[in-house]
């Protein structure tokens, strides 16, 4: 049976909206995840058990449970409970649940990347910075983090690419991303091949572009380090 590519023209608006929704989901999750990850990473490096233990529990929970389950829990339990029972308002659209779940999940993985990157810097770097009169925060911001970021860039890039592909799981709560567009098109037209080939092509384009950006940044920082 030949592939009916005409369904892509008929449902192009779904794919266009899904393409931008996927980009929005990934971008927000990356930005919020970076903030959460840096905070948790610093907490895990703290000498205070009151900071280390909550951060460790958070990381273990979100790394040790399926992302799909987290999305369902956030959408059907966490957000409705907060909105309806605590705030007395109507829960927001499903895409907000997608933002929250992806961001929380990304934060756990990014926290480990930050922790590993910071710990990879020789302790003498911090001691030298403190001996020059810098506070702990200044030394971390101006000396440790810039060096650690160069080492963290490859795993961060891999995490961002994985997050982009994992964002397809929000289809389960009816967020109109690329996968949802393909599913809706296939369901309404009974054409199976064209929608899923198109969605795979869109994901490939996004991941390829993101991987090239990460590769460019890696080469740039490597060149700067060699010149320095």
């Amino acid at each position: 049976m030949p592939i009916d590519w005409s369904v892509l023209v008929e449902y192009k608006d779904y794919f266009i909206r899904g393409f931008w929704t996927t980009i929005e989901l990934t971008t927000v999750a990356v930005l919020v995840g970076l903030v959460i990850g840096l905070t948790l990473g610093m907490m895990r490096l703290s000498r205070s058990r009151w900071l280390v233990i909550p951060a460790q529990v958070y990381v273990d929970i979100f790394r040790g449970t399926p992302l799909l389950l987290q999305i369902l829990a956030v959408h059907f339990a966490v957000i409705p409970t907060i909105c309806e029972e605590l705030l007395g308002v109507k829960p927001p659209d499903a895409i907000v649940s997608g933002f929250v779940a992806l961001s929380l999940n990304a934060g756990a993985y990014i926290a480990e990347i930050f922790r590993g990157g910071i710990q990879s810097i020789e302790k003498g770097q911090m001691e030298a910075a403190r001996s020059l009169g810098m506070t702990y925060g200044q030394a971390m911001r101006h000396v440790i983090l810039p060096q650690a970021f160069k080492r963290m860039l490859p795993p961060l890039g891999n995490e961002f690419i994985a997050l982009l592909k994992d964002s397809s799981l929000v289809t389960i709560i009816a967020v109109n991303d690329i996968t949802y567009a393909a599913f809706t098109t296939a369901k309404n037209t009974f054409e199976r091949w064209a929608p899923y080939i198109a969605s795979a092509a869109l994901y490939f384009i996004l991941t390829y572009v993101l991987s090239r950006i990460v590769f460019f940044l890696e080469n740039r920082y490597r060149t700067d380090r060699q010149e320095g």
Side-chain angles (χ1 to χ4, degrees), residues 53-228:
I53 293 177
Q56 181 66 55
V57 170
Y58 180 101
V59 170
D60 287 345
I61 290 175
F62 280 93
R63 283 168 58 95
T65 55
L67 176 56
L68 180 60
L69 180 62
Q70 295 168 21
I71 293 171
L72 293 173
V74 168
H75 182 65
F76 291 110
V78 177
I79 288 184
T81 299
I82 294 175
C83 292
E84 296 176 350
E85 298 185 15
L86 298 181
L87 302 179
V89 298
K90 181 181 178 181
D93 294 336
I95 192 172
V96 176
S97 300
F99 286 141
V100 172
L102 291 174
S103 299
L104 293 175
N105 181 270
Y109 286 90
I110 294 173
E112 290 298 279
I113 295 174
F114 273 117
R115 182 181 65 85
I118 293 172
Q119 287 183 327
S120 71
I121 304 300
E122 295 77 6
K123 294 182 178 179
Q125 297 282 347
M126 174 62 76
E127 295 172 357
R130 296 300 298 273
S131 68
L132 293 175
M134 291 186 181
T135 64
Y136 179 84
Q138 290 173 332
M140 188 64 68
R141 184 167 63 253
H142 297 295
V143 178
I144 304 301
L145 286 178
Q147 296 183 70
F149 181 74
K150 296 176 182 179
R151 302 182 182 184
M152 292 186 293
L153 191 54
L156 280 175
N158 291 334
E159 171 59 23
F160 297 162
I161 292 172
L163 184 61
L164 171 63
K165 292 183 289 186
D166 288 344
S167 69
S168 62
L169 293 174
V170 299
T171 299
I172 197 70
I173 56 174
V175 174
N176 189 5
D177 68 332
I178 294 175
T179 303
Y180 185 81
F183 174 77
T184 302
T185 303
K187 181 181 68 174
N188 292 342
T189 65
F190 299 102
E191 169 58 49
R192 299 293 183 259
W193 282 99
Y196 294 118
I197 290 176
S199 63
L202 291 175
Y203 279 114
F204 176 80
I205 291 171
L206 289 174
T207 55
Y208 180 79
V209 170
L210 184 54
S211 65
R212 299 312 297 176
I213 292 174
V214 173
F215 181 74
F216 169 78
L217 292 174
E218 287 179 19
N219 284 338
R220 180 176 179 181
Y221 279 113
R222 187 180 302 116
T223 301
D224 292 342
R225 183 166 53 190
Q226 292 174 351
E227 292 177 352

Side-chain angles (χ1 to χ4, degrees), residues 22-56:
T22 297
I23 292 177
E24 290 174 6
L25 282 167
T26 305
T27 301
V28 171
V30 164
L31 294 177
V32 177
L34 283 171
V35 175
I36 295 174
L38 178 58
T39 303
L40 292 174
M42 297 301 296
M43 289 173 64
R44 293 204 60 194
L45 294 172
S46 172
R47 296 179 180 178
S48 172
R49 295 183 60 186
W50 295 103
L51 296 177
V52 174
I53 293 177
Q56 181 66 55

